Amino acid sequence: MKILLAGASGMVGKNIVDLKPNNVSLFTPDLDELNLLSYSDTLDYIKKNKPDLIIHAAGIVGGIQANINYPVKFLRENVLLGHNLIWAAFESGVNCFLNLGSSCMYPKNAENPLQEDLILKGELEPTNEGYAIAKVFAQRFCEYINRENNAFLYKTIIPCNLYGKYDKFGSEWGHLIPAVISKIHNAKIQNQNIVEIWGDGEARREFMYTEDLADLIWTTIKQFEKLPDLLNVGLGYDFTINEYYQTISKVIGYTGSFKHDLSKPVGMKQKLVDTTKLKNFGWSPKYGLEEGIQKTYNYFLSNN
């Protein structure tokens, strides 16, 4: 089987590569080989290599501050990535396409846990609206292609928040857990007694170790026809931001205290995906929070 992995250099992509089965031929083009922002380049690459399935894990990603600072980039480039890959796949006759969405696609005031049919049922969270719109676009594009031609299996999985190996640590482009790992690690080695938390720390988030998502992706490819057209992927439970800080402090061995900056943005109060369909599909994650953070911290120590 020949598979094109778009976004192989990102955190999710690298974890997918790490778990590649031996009987799969995996194309992992870098930016020099394939410019996904160019439709003609994307179409030419797909027609030349003729993959049986495409995984769309490419994207411009970042934390709250990056999304606030660069909404044009997050909207425009992610829409282009989704459009070019999906349409080039369709025009090239690639029948199987796995699109990776994001839980930010769900309305900010939707009832938790977030069920798959809630997309476009309310206003999006403003802090990452551009990215969310781009992700909704790609999901609907896949859905419409399926609707018009049932020979095409263009499916979307919606992971909860992710963390793990190959993440971005300690910058505005980093997500919560890697940013906190970097912050608390630095506080420990610099003997800082206080670490700041944005907001009151009571917002709830669901974070899954990225290797679990990679495992799920390879599982779905083995039984792609059985995979629902739209599927949440997550733990099915969440923690407060304060609890993430506490767990990371425990793993790192930081014994200082925390203070809350109530002037900072915090995003949605809760973002927990409904995993009923995932359980019916027959898959569950392997890693708990403390084990996943320990593995992530070990990676951070060996690469910083």
Side-chain angles (χ1 to χ4, degrees):
M1 188 178 192
K2 295 192 297 182
I3 296 176
L4 167 59
L5 171 59
S9 64
M11 176 180 68
V12 172
K14 288 180 178 178
N15 277 273
I16 293 172
V17 172
D18 283 352
L19 297 186
K20 182 188 83 68
N22 292 329
N23 62 344
V24 169
S25 178
L26 189 63
F27 299 110
T28 59
D30 60 23
L31 291 175
D32 292 331
E33 297 175 89
L34 174 57
N35 176 16
L36 292 171
L37 296 177
S38 165
Y39 180 71
S40 61
D41 287 0
T42 305
L43 182 63
D44 289 346
Y45 186 92
I46 293 173
K47 285 187 172 181
K48 175 184 176 182
N49 292 285
K50 299 181 174 60
D52 302 300
L53 182 145
I54 295 175
I55 302 171
H56 176 20
I60 309 300
V61 299
I64 287 178
Q65 197 60 60
N67 274 270
I68 291 171
N69 290 346
Y70 311 109
V72 172
K73 182 178 183 70
F74 278 89
L75 174 63
R76 175 183 176 274
E77 295 191 16
N78 283 303
V79 166
L80 281 173
L81 291 172
H83 169 271
N84 292 348
L85 266 173
I86 295 166
W87 194 238
F90 177 76
E91 289 215 305
S92 302
V94 178
N95 295 95
C96 297
F97 192 102
L98 183 62
N99 174 51
L100 270 63
S102 166
S103 57
C104 69
M105 296 160 61
Y106 287 113
K108 67 174 185 176
N109 294 320
E111 182 178 352
N112 283 257
L114 301 161
Q115 297 180 340
E116 288 89 347
D117 61 0
L118 291 175
I119 293 174
L120 292 182
K121 297 291 178 63
E123 181 183 358
L124 296 167
E125 164 58 39
T127 54
N128 57 5
E129 183 182 78
Y131 180 76
I133 289 171
K135 287 297 185 180
V136 171
F137 164 81
Q139 184 273 318
R140 285 299 200 252
F141 200 6
C142 289
E143 180 182 315
Y144 296 162
I145 287 173
N146 292 345
R147 187 183 304 174
E148 290 188 9
N149 191 329
N150 59 16
F152 288 83
L153 303 176
Y154 282 28
K155 306 191 178 191
T156 298
I157 58 175
I158 303 179
C160 66
N161 295 305
L162 301 168
Y163 71 98
K165 291 185 302 179
Y166 314 118
D167 215 333
K168 297 175 181 176
F169 295 85
S171 75
E172 65 175 329
W173 296 95
H175 289 103
L176 176 74
I177 287 183
V180 174
I181 286 174
S182 178
K183 183 161 62 172
I184 292 180
H185 171 81
N186 289 335
K188 178 184 177 182
I189 63 176
Q190 295 168 11
N191 295 314
Q192 297 174 1
N193 295 322
I194 297 176
V195 167
E196 180 182 277
I197 299 176
W198 283 18
D200 62 8
E202 293 303 315
R204 304 189 67 87
R205 289 292 181 271
E206 177 185 17
F207 275 92
M208 185 172 71
Y209 189 59
T210 312
E211 188 176 307
D212 276 330
L213 177 63
D215 176 74
L216 177 276
I217 287 171
W218 287 116
T219 300
T220 65
I221 288 171
K222 296 173 187 174
Q223 42 190 318
F224 203 69
E225 290 191 6
K226 179 185 173 185
L227 178 70
D229 289 348
L230 183 58
L231 179 71
N232 285 332
V233 181
L235 306 174
Y237 55 88
D238 58 9
F239 298 94
T240 66
I241 302 300
N242 287 329
E243 288 171 324
Y244 284 115
Y245 271 83
Q246 291 159 7
T247 303
I248 291 169
S249 294
K250 178 182 176 183
V251 167
I252 292 176
Y254 176 69
T255 56
S257 57
F258 304 112
K259 69 174 182 179
H260 295 88
D261 185 345
L262 301 181
S263 70
K264 297 292 189 180
V266 297
M268 295 168 68
K269 279 295 181 184
Q270 186 180 26
K271 198 162 58 169
L272 173 68
V273 299
D274 185 283
T275 56
T276 301
K277 290 169 67 175
L278 181 66
K279 292 172 183 174
N280 292 338
F281 183 68
W283 182 90
S284 59
K286 299 175 182 176
Y287 293 100
L289 178 62
E290 189 167 333
E291 183 182 6
I293 288 176
Q294 183 65 67
K295 289 172 72 69
T296 305
Y297 186 51
N298 292 342
Y299 172 83
F300 170 84
L301 290 175
S302 62
N303 290 273
N304 289 274

PDB file of all heavy atoms in Angstrom, residues 46-71:
ATOM      1  N   ILE A  46       0.894  14.243  -6.653  1.00  0.00           N
ATOM      2  CA  ILE A  46      -0.033  13.127  -6.447  1.00  0.00           C
ATOM      3  C   ILE A  46      -0.163  12.292  -7.719  1.00  0.00           C
ATOM      4  O   ILE A  46      -0.161  11.046  -7.670  1.00  0.00           O
ATOM      5  CB  ILE A  46      -1.397  13.654  -5.967  1.00  0.00           C
ATOM      6  CG1 ILE A  46      -1.263  14.251  -4.555  1.00  0.00           C
ATOM      7  CG2 ILE A  46      -2.443  12.539  -5.962  1.00  0.00           C
ATOM      8  CD1 ILE A  46      -2.507  14.942  -4.053  1.00  0.00           C
ATOM      9  N   LYS A  47      -0.255  12.932  -8.858  1.00  0.00           N
ATOM     10  CA  LYS A  47      -0.369  12.186 -10.114  1.00  0.00           C
ATOM     11  C   LYS A  47       0.898  11.375 -10.399  1.00  0.00           C
ATOM     12  O   LYS A  47       0.830  10.268 -10.937  1.00  0.00           O
ATOM     13  CB  LYS A  47      -0.664  13.145 -11.268  1.00  0.00           C
ATOM     14  CG  LYS A  47      -2.102  13.654 -11.289  1.00  0.00           C
ATOM     15  CD  LYS A  47      -2.389  14.454 -12.543  1.00  0.00           C
ATOM     16  CE  LYS A  47      -3.874  14.794 -12.650  1.00  0.00           C
ATOM     17  NZ  LYS A  47      -4.181  15.544 -13.887  1.00  0.00           N
ATOM     18  N   LYS A  48       2.031  11.910 -10.027  1.00  0.00           N
ATOM     19  CA  LYS A  48       3.299  11.212 -10.271  1.00  0.00           C
ATOM     20  C   LYS A  48       3.453  10.001  -9.362  1.00  0.00           C
ATOM     21  O   LYS A  48       3.884   8.923  -9.807  1.00  0.00           O
ATOM     22  CB  LYS A  48       4.471  12.178 -10.051  1.00  0.00           C
ATOM     23  CG  LYS A  48       5.838  11.522 -10.161  1.00  0.00           C
ATOM     24  CD  LYS A  48       6.950  12.518  -9.844  1.00  0.00           C
ATOM     25  CE  LYS A  48       8.320  11.838  -9.862  1.00  0.00           C
ATOM     26  NZ  LYS A  48       9.410  12.792  -9.497  1.00  0.00           N
ATOM     27  N   ASN A  49       3.097  10.132  -8.085  1.00  0.00           N
ATOM     28  CA  ASN A  49       3.364   9.073  -7.111  1.00  0.00           C
ATOM     29  C   ASN A  49       2.205   8.110  -6.897  1.00  0.00           C
ATOM     30  O   ASN A  49       2.394   7.037  -6.329  1.00  0.00           O
ATOM     31  CB  ASN A  49       3.790   9.693  -5.778  1.00  0.00           C
ATOM     32  CG  ASN A  49       5.151  10.362  -5.873  1.00  0.00           C
ATOM     33  OD1 ASN A  49       6.180   9.697  -5.907  1.00  0.00           O
ATOM     34  ND2 ASN A  49       5.157  11.695  -5.945  1.00  0.00           N
ATOM     35  N   LYS A  50       0.993   8.513  -7.296  1.00  0.00           N
ATOM     36  CA  LYS A  50      -0.178   7.625  -7.284  1.00  0.00           C
ATOM     37  C   LYS A  50      -0.401   6.918  -5.940  1.00  0.00           C
ATOM     38  O   LYS A  50      -0.426   5.675  -5.866  1.00  0.00           O
ATOM     39  CB  LYS A  50      -0.075   6.592  -8.398  1.00  0.00           C
ATOM     40  CG  LYS A  50      -0.024   7.172  -9.801  1.00  0.00           C
ATOM     41  CD  LYS A  50       0.056   6.078 -10.841  1.00  0.00           C
ATOM     42  CE  LYS A  50      -0.044   6.621 -12.252  1.00  0.00           C
ATOM     43  NZ  LYS A  50       1.027   7.579 -12.594  1.00  0.00           N
ATOM     44  N   PRO A  51      -0.563   7.659  -4.864  1.00  0.00           N
ATOM     45  CA  PRO A  51      -0.822   7.001  -3.575  1.00  0.00           C
ATOM     46  C   PRO A  51      -2.213   6.364  -3.549  1.00  0.00           C
ATOM     47  O   PRO A  51      -3.130   6.796  -4.245  1.00  0.00           O
ATOM     48  CB  PRO A  51      -0.743   8.160  -2.578  1.00  0.00           C
ATOM     49  CG  PRO A  51      -1.108   9.370  -3.372  1.00  0.00           C
ATOM     50  CD  PRO A  51      -0.554   9.133  -4.746  1.00  0.00           C
ATOM     51  N   ASP A  52      -2.333   5.313  -2.740  1.00  0.00           N
ATOM     52  CA  ASP A  52      -3.640   4.678  -2.538  1.00  0.00           C
ATOM     53  C   ASP A  52      -4.473   5.449  -1.516  1.00  0.00           C
ATOM     54  O   ASP A  52      -5.710   5.387  -1.546  1.00  0.00           O
ATOM     55  CB  ASP A  52      -3.448   3.241  -2.036  1.00  0.00           C
ATOM     56  CG  ASP A  52      -2.634   2.409  -3.001  1.00  0.00           C
ATOM     57  OD1 ASP A  52      -3.062   2.244  -4.153  1.00  0.00           O
ATOM     58  OD2 ASP A  52      -1.548   1.931  -2.600  1.00  0.00           O
ATOM     59  N   LEU A  53      -3.789   6.138  -0.623  1.00  0.00           N
ATOM     60  CA  LEU A  53      -4.467   6.878   0.451  1.00  0.00           C
ATOM     61  C   LEU A  53      -3.615   8.083   0.823  1.00  0.00           C
ATOM     62  O   LEU A  53      -2.381   8.014   0.776  1.00  0.00           O
ATOM     63  CB  LEU A  53      -4.688   5.971   1.670  1.00  0.00           C
ATOM     64  CG  LEU A  53      -5.418   6.545   2.881  1.00  0.00           C
ATOM     65  CD1 LEU A  53      -6.275   5.468   3.551  1.00  0.00           C
ATOM     66  CD2 LEU A  53      -4.436   7.122   3.916  1.00  0.00           C
ATOM     67  N   ILE A  54      -4.269   9.177   1.193  1.00  0.00           N
ATOM     68  CA  ILE A  54      -3.566  10.382   1.630  1.00  0.00           C
ATOM     69  C   ILE A  54      -3.976  10.708   3.065  1.00  0.00           C
ATOM     70  O   ILE A  54      -5.169  10.674   3.401  1.00  0.00           O
ATOM     71  CB  ILE A  54      -3.876  11.571   0.709  1.00  0.00           C
ATOM     72  CG1 ILE A  54      -3.316  11.308  -0.700  1.00  0.00           C
ATOM     73  CG2 ILE A  54      -3.301  12.878   1.274  1.00  0.00           C
ATOM     74  CD1 ILE A  54      -3.686  12.370  -1.718  1.00  0.00           C
ATOM     75  N   ILE A  55      -2.993  11.008   3.895  1.00  0.00           N
ATOM     76  CA  ILE A  55      -3.245  11.488   5.258  1.00  0.00           C
ATOM     77  C   ILE A  55      -2.909  12.972   5.292  1.00  0.00           C
ATOM     78  O   ILE A  55      -1.776  13.364   5.017  1.00  0.00           O
ATOM     79  CB  ILE A  55      -2.376  10.746   6.291  1.00  0.00           C
ATOM     80  CG1 ILE A  55      -2.615   9.232   6.233  1.00  0.00           C
ATOM     81  CG2 ILE A  55      -2.659  11.271   7.698  1.00  0.00           C
ATOM     82  CD1 ILE A  55      -1.616   8.434   7.079  1.00  0.00           C
ATOM     83  N   HIS A  56      -3.895  13.789   5.632  1.00  0.00           N
ATOM     84  CA  HIS A  56      -3.680  15.240   5.712  1.00  0.00           C
ATOM     85  C   HIS A  56      -3.422  15.632   7.161  1.00  0.00           C
ATOM     86  O   HIS A  56      -4.330  15.885   7.936  1.00  0.00           O
ATOM     87  CB  HIS A  56      -4.900  15.983   5.165  1.00  0.00           C
ATOM     88  CG  HIS A  56      -4.823  17.474   5.289  1.00  0.00           C
ATOM     89  ND1 HIS A  56      -3.637  18.159   5.461  1.00  0.00           N
ATOM     90  CD2 HIS A  56      -5.810  18.435   5.285  1.00  0.00           C
ATOM     91  CE1 HIS A  56      -3.878  19.458   5.551  1.00  0.00           C
ATOM     92  NE2 HIS A  56      -5.182  19.642   5.449  1.00  0.00           N
ATOM     93  N   ALA A  57      -2.131  15.651   7.522  1.00  0.00           N
ATOM     94  CA  ALA A  57      -1.724  16.074   8.869  1.00  0.00           C
ATOM     95  C   ALA A  57      -0.937  17.372   8.818  1.00  0.00           C
ATOM     96  O   ALA A  57      -0.305  17.755   9.806  1.00  0.00           O
ATOM     97  CB  ALA A  57      -0.887  14.980   9.527  1.00  0.00           C
ATOM     98  N   ALA A  58      -0.974  18.052   7.670  1.00  0.00           N
ATOM     99  CA  ALA A  58      -0.231  19.306   7.518  1.00  0.00           C
ATOM    100  C   ALA A  58      -1.029  20.460   8.101  1.00  0.00           C
ATOM    101  O   ALA A  58      -2.264  20.423   8.141  1.00  0.00           O
ATOM    102  CB  ALA A  58       0.059  19.569   6.039  1.00  0.00           C
ATOM    103  N   GLY A  59      -0.333  21.503   8.532  1.00  0.00           N
ATOM    104  CA  GLY A  59      -1.049  22.666   9.047  1.00  0.00           C
ATOM    105  C   GLY A  59      -0.135  23.674   9.693  1.00  0.00           C
ATOM    106  O   GLY A  59       0.981  23.363  10.111  1.00  0.00           O
ATOM    107  N   ILE A  60      -0.632  24.894   9.753  1.00  0.00           N
ATOM    108  CA  ILE A  60       0.003  25.955  10.528  1.00  0.00           C
ATOM    109  C   ILE A  60      -0.661  25.918  11.899  1.00  0.00           C
ATOM    110  O   ILE A  60      -1.857  26.178  12.022  1.00  0.00           O
ATOM    111  CB  ILE A  60      -0.198  27.332   9.873  1.00  0.00           C
ATOM    112  CG1 ILE A  60       0.210  27.289   8.400  1.00  0.00           C
ATOM    113  CG2 ILE A  60       0.571  28.406  10.634  1.00  0.00           C
ATOM    114  CD1 ILE A  60       1.649  26.916   8.158  1.00  0.00           C
ATOM    115  N   VAL A  61       0.088  25.566  12.933  1.00  0.00           N
ATOM    116  CA  VAL A  61      -0.498  25.383  14.257  1.00  0.00           C
ATOM    117  C   VAL A  61       0.237  26.221  15.291  1.00  0.00           C
ATOM    118  O   VAL A  61       1.390  26.601  15.103  1.00  0.00           O
ATOM    119  CB  VAL A  61      -0.484  23.897  14.681  1.00  0.00           C
ATOM    120  CG1 VAL A  61      -1.300  23.051  13.723  1.00  0.00           C
ATOM    121  CG2 VAL A  61       0.943  23.365  14.760  1.00  0.00           C
ATOM    122  N   GLY A  62      -0.438  26.500  16.399  1.00  0.00           N
ATOM    123  CA  GLY A  62       0.174  27.266  17.476  1.00  0.00           C
ATOM    124  C   GLY A  62      -0.773  27.424  18.642  1.00  0.00           C
ATOM    125  O   GLY A  62      -1.939  27.024  18.579  1.00  0.00           O
ATOM    126  N   GLY A  63      -0.284  28.021  19.700  1.00  0.00           N
ATOM    127  CA  GLY A  63      -1.090  28.258  20.883  1.00  0.00           C
ATOM    128  C   GLY A  63      -1.969  29.486  20.758  1.00  0.00           C
ATOM    129  O   GLY A  63      -2.097  30.092  19.688  1.00  0.00           O
ATOM    130  N   ILE A  64      -2.578  29.882  21.876  1.00  0.00           N
ATOM    131  CA  ILE A  64      -3.524  30.998  21.879  1.00  0.00           C
ATOM    132  C   ILE A  64      -2.880  32.270  21.343  1.00  0.00           C
ATOM    133  O   ILE A  64      -3.445  32.958  20.482  1.00  0.00           O
ATOM    134  CB  ILE A  64      -4.064  31.243  23.306  1.00  0.00           C
ATOM    135  CG1 ILE A  64      -5.044  30.131  23.704  1.00  0.00           C
ATOM    136  CG2 ILE A  64      -4.799  32.588  23.380  1.00  0.00           C
ATOM    137  CD1 ILE A  64      -5.580  30.282  25.108  1.00  0.00           C
ATOM    138  N   GLN A  65      -1.670  32.596  21.822  1.00  0.00           N
ATOM    139  CA  GLN A  65      -1.064  33.868  21.446  1.00  0.00           C
ATOM    140  C   GLN A  65      -0.753  33.929  19.954  1.00  0.00           C
ATOM    141  O   GLN A  65      -0.967  34.956  19.306  1.00  0.00           O
ATOM    142  CB  GLN A  65       0.213  34.110  22.252  1.00  0.00           C
ATOM    143  CG  GLN A  65       0.682  35.561  22.226  1.00  0.00           C
ATOM    144  CD  GLN A  65      -0.354  36.523  22.789  1.00  0.00           C
ATOM    145  OE1 GLN A  65      -0.752  36.417  23.946  1.00  0.00           O
ATOM    146  NE2 GLN A  65      -0.816  37.466  21.975  1.00  0.00           N
ATOM    147  N   ALA A  66      -0.258  32.834  19.397  1.00  0.00           N
ATOM    148  CA  ALA A  66       0.037  32.821  17.962  1.00  0.00           C
ATOM    149  C   ALA A  66      -1.237  32.973  17.140  1.00  0.00           C
ATOM    150  O   ALA A  66      -1.266  33.695  16.135  1.00  0.00           O
ATOM    151  CB  ALA A  66       0.755  31.528  17.590  1.00  0.00           C
ATOM    152  N   ASN A  67      -2.314  32.306  17.553  1.00  0.00           N
ATOM    153  CA  ASN A  67      -3.586  32.422  16.835  1.00  0.00           C
ATOM    154  C   ASN A  67      -4.135  33.849  16.896  1.00  0.00           C
ATOM    155  O   ASN A  67      -4.704  34.346  15.918  1.00  0.00           O
ATOM    156  CB  ASN A  67      -4.609  31.445  17.416  1.00  0.00           C
ATOM    157  CG  ASN A  67      -4.514  30.066  16.809  1.00  0.00           C
ATOM    158  OD1 ASN A  67      -5.160  29.776  15.807  1.00  0.00           O
ATOM    159  ND2 ASN A  67      -3.701  29.207  17.409  1.00  0.00           N
ATOM    160  N   ILE A  68      -3.971  34.504  18.035  1.00  0.00           N
ATOM    161  CA  ILE A  68      -4.441  35.884  18.183  1.00  0.00           C
ATOM    162  C   ILE A  68      -3.614  36.824  17.312  1.00  0.00           C
ATOM    163  O   ILE A  68      -4.145  37.728  16.663  1.00  0.00           O
ATOM    164  CB  ILE A  68      -4.374  36.315  19.664  1.00  0.00           C
ATOM    165  CG1 ILE A  68      -5.419  35.543  20.491  1.00  0.00           C
ATOM    166  CG2 ILE A  68      -4.604  37.820  19.811  1.00  0.00           C
ATOM    167  CD1 ILE A  68      -5.280  35.753  21.989  1.00  0.00           C
ATOM    168  N   ASN A  69      -2.295  36.594  17.253  1.00  0.00           N
ATOM    169  CA  ASN A  69      -1.397  37.498  16.544  1.00  0.00           C
ATOM    170  C   ASN A  69      -1.460  37.358  15.028  1.00  0.00           C
ATOM    171  O   ASN A  69      -1.253  38.330  14.299  1.00  0.00           O
ATOM    172  CB  ASN A  69       0.049  37.260  16.997  1.00  0.00           C
ATOM    173  CG  ASN A  69       0.308  37.720  18.417  1.00  0.00           C
ATOM    174  OD1 ASN A  69      -0.497  38.445  18.998  1.00  0.00           O
ATOM    175  ND2 ASN A  69       1.415  37.293  18.985  1.00  0.00           N
ATOM    176  N   TYR A  70      -1.741  36.153  14.526  1.00  0.00           N
ATOM    177  CA  TYR A  70      -1.627  35.892  13.086  1.00  0.00           C
ATOM    178  C   TYR A  70      -2.871  35.206  12.511  1.00  0.00           C
ATOM    179  O   TYR A  70      -2.766  34.154  11.872  1.00  0.00           O
ATOM    180  CB  TYR A  70      -0.394  35.031  12.812  1.00  0.00           C
ATOM    181  CG  TYR A  70       0.862  35.534  13.472  1.00  0.00           C
ATOM    182  CD1 TYR A  70       1.417  34.855  14.553  1.00  0.00           C
ATOM    183  CD2 TYR A  70       1.501  36.692  13.028  1.00  0.00           C
ATOM    184  CE1 TYR A  70       2.568  35.310  15.173  1.00  0.00           C
ATOM    185  CE2 TYR A  70       2.658  37.162  13.643  1.00  0.00           C
ATOM    186  CZ  TYR A  70       3.182  36.466  14.719  1.00  0.00           C
ATOM    187  OH  TYR A  70       4.319  36.925  15.327  1.00  0.00           O
ATOM    188  N   PRO A  71      -4.068  35.784  12.696  1.00  0.00           N
ATOM    189  CA  PRO A  71      -5.276  35.113  12.208  1.00  0.00           C
ATOM    190  C   PRO A  71      -5.311  34.949  10.692  1.00  0.00           C
ATOM    191  O   PRO A  71      -5.866  33.973  10.180  1.00  0.00           O
ATOM    192  CB  PRO A  71      -6.409  36.022  12.703  1.00  0.00           C
ATOM    193  CG  PRO A  71      -5.772  37.366  12.883  1.00  0.00           C
ATOM    194  CD  PRO A  71      -4.377  37.077  13.344  1.00  0.00           C
TER     195      PRO A  71
END
